[in-house]
Amino acid sequence: MEHRNVTVDPRRIGRKCERAVVTAYQELREVGQPDMQAFGACTTLYRIHHPEASLSEARRLVSEWIDHHVVRRETGNTPGCDCD
């Protein structure tokens, strides 16, 4: 999965944790981290924001957010947590 040099403006993302995850993913990919390492780091980051989340829930949300914002470059709302 190649996502290098694909930058999304994170300011348009409403949830703080979602914005942090997408920003971290993009920055890790831009400095050459492989997709799965960036994904794993972002899953950990999500769980820091939401320690109550299971690993499978964190993986699902992170993958949905990366797919939505980075892969498909969509701008609508995404499923996720209830934080601001």
Side-chain angles (χ1 to χ4, degrees), residues 2 5 10 13 18 20 24 31 33 35 38 43-44 46-47 50-51 55 59-60 64-65 70 81 84:
E2 183 64 37
N5 301 319
I13 301 172
E18 185 173 355
V31 297
Q33 289 299 309
D35 180 61
T43 300
T44 300
Y46 177 81
R47 292 188 78 201
H50 293 282
L55 181 58
R59 286 177 176 157
R60 180 184 58 79
E64 287 177 4
W65 292 344
V70 179
C81 58
D84 297 331

Side-chain angles (χ1 to χ4, degrees), residues 36-75:
M36 288 308 295
Q37 285 182 334
F39 176 78
C42 291
T43 300
T44 300
L45 178 60
Y46 177 81
R47 292 188 78 201
I48 289 170
H49 280 263
H50 293 282
E52 75 283 0
S54 69
L55 181 58
S56 61
E57 178 185 9
R59 286 177 176 157
R60 180 184 58 79
L61 283 174
V62 168
S63 66
E64 287 177 4
W65 292 344
I66 291 169
D67 181 61
H68 181 84
H69 294 291
V70 179
V71 176
R72 291 184 286 139
R73 302 193 71 144
E74 293 189 11
T75 58

Side-chain angles (χ1 to χ4, degrees), residues 13-30:
I13 301 172
R15 286 185 205 100
K16 291 177 186 174
C17 58
E18 185 173 355
R19 184 174 36 240
V21 162
V22 171
T23 299
Y25 179 82
Q26 291 181 132
E27 289 177 357
L28 288 166
R29 295 294 288 147
E30 287 171 3

